[in-house]
Amino acid sequence: MKVIPVVAAAIAAALFLIPSAAVADDEEEADVDVSLAQLRYTNGLLVTFTDSYPSNDVGMAQLGRIDRAPLFARDEKGSFLETYLEITPTVVAVPRRLVDDHGADPPPELRRRQITSSPVVADGLTPPQVSTISGAAACDFYHYNWYDWHDAGFPGMPPETYYASQFTSDKQRYSDSYVANCTPDNYPSYIYARHRIYYKNIWGNYKKHFDSKVPPWHHQYAEKGSVKRWRKVHYDDGWNSNANCGVLGSGSCIYTREGRFHN
């Protein structure tokens, strides 16, 4: 395991002050995402924790290969801090923002951890001993224990947007989104599946604070939230929903999308 010291991490801090719309192919209004922690495990799983400005919404994401890096299950009732403590060894510092987001009565194990205001970077971590959710080659896998939508992949699946307002009125604090890009691993990187997460600001406009393109044969879970406000999630892909996978002339470009809103 390699942990970058807090001082060294500060040198790279500028690399973490990146807009969530890192792939600038549109003119959507977007928050600035500030990285709180980047955790890489020996099975290839990458877990990131972020804060967004000006929304002040904390988030986390998991990304890995479907056949090598099962995603772990996160209890929607637990805080991001509790999840962080569960998946990291005691030698890895804890972002102060996660402590602040948790609020009163922090977990007792926090007393054994260093708290830092600098970005945390840790590589070579042993996969956490927590419940995992295995990927599946058939693009109909269910990720969450409950969900508001589940669209099993099929060739030519069109883009879709889901709004918290489509469901009950109390689902405004968090957005959870899962994407499994079941396109074969040897396909080019532009054959991606994309999900974007938005919140509605005080002026009534939806503003983006998560944007990711999931590569072929990878899956990703993302969650954003803290402040209670209206939210939405949008999905599309890199082959423009072409049933024959665009110029590749194949019907094997498929992805599953699933998600939920909750308090």
Side-chain angles (χ1 to χ4, degrees):
M1 178 184 71
K2 178 181 179 183
V3 179
I4 297 180
V6 172
V7 174
I11 299 175
L15 298 177
F16 293 85
L17 296 173
I18 57 176
S20 58
V23 183
D25 58 359
D26 54 53
E27 299 299 325
E28 291 183 298
E29 187 179 6
D31 266 20
V32 172
D33 249 8
V34 179
S35 179
L36 302 175
Q38 179 176 287
L39 312 171
R40 194 175 296 275
Y41 296 83
T42 54
N43 62 358
L45 178 67
L46 175 64
V47 180
T48 56
F49 289 81
T50 58
D51 191 11
S52 292
Y53 178 82
S55 69
N56 292 319
D57 270 333
V58 180
M60 68 165 291
Q62 304 176 59
L63 175 68
R65 284 177 55 97
I66 291 175
D67 57 344
R68 293 181 187 171
L71 307 183
F72 60 81
R74 195 183 106 75
D75 182 0
E76 73 272 10
K77 295 182 175 62
S79 71
F80 289 116
L81 173 63
E82 290 169 321
T83 298
Y84 187 92
L85 294 175
E86 188 177 20
I87 67 172
T88 56
T90 56
V91 296
V92 177
V94 178
R96 183 174 300 279
R97 179 68 180 91
L98 297 184
V99 178
D100 295 340
D101 181 69
H102 178 87
D105 300 320
E109 55 266 34
L110 185 62
R111 291 194 293 265
R112 300 186 295 138
R113 307 290 290 268
Q114 176 191 4
I115 300 174
T116 179
S117 297
S118 299
V120 174
V121 180
D123 296 322
L125 297 174
T126 300
Q129 299 299 307
V130 296
S131 299
T132 59
I133 303 174
S134 298
C139 220
D140 57 0
F141 182 71
Y142 290 82
H143 177 75
Y144 299 110
N145 59 346
W146 67 269
Y147 53 87
D148 286 321
W149 65 89
H150 175 88
D151 301 326
F154 63 89
M157 185 168 68
E160 187 62 82
T161 302
Y162 291 97
Y163 295 83
S165 56
Q166 292 176 240
F167 308 98
T168 59
S169 60
D170 60 346
K171 294 184 174 185
Q172 298 181 41
R173 195 172 297 277
Y174 297 97
S175 299
D176 296 354
S177 178
Y178 171 76
V179 165
N181 186 353
C182 298
T183 303
D185 189 36
N186 61 345
Y187 276 47
S189 60
Y190 65 82
I191 303 298
Y192 57 79
R194 184 179 188 182
H195 52 159
R196 287 170 275 185
I197 299 176
Y198 303 76
Y199 69 96
K200 182 180 281 190
N201 62 22
I202 60 174
W203 294 281
N205 302 317
Y206 280 101
K207 192 170 181 179
K208 181 171 59 179
H209 58 181
F210 180 83
D211 188 345
S212 182
K213 295 180 175 181
V214 181
W217 203 241
H218 282 68
H219 54 176
Q220 183 179 60
Y221 147 87
E223 180 176 357
K224 267 292 195 180
S226 287
V227 181
K228 194 169 185 178
R229 49 166 68 100
W230 291 113
R231 302 176 181 277
K232 73 174 183 177
V233 181
H234 177 72
Y235 301 93
D236 56 20
D237 58 62
W239 56 93
N240 296 319
S241 302
N242 187 298
N244 292 319
C245 211
V247 297
L248 298 178
S250 167
S252 57
C253 292
I254 57 174
Y255 71 103
T256 282
R257 56 201 186 200
E258 182 179 300
R260 61 189 182 185
F261 302 108
H262 62 93
N263 279 334

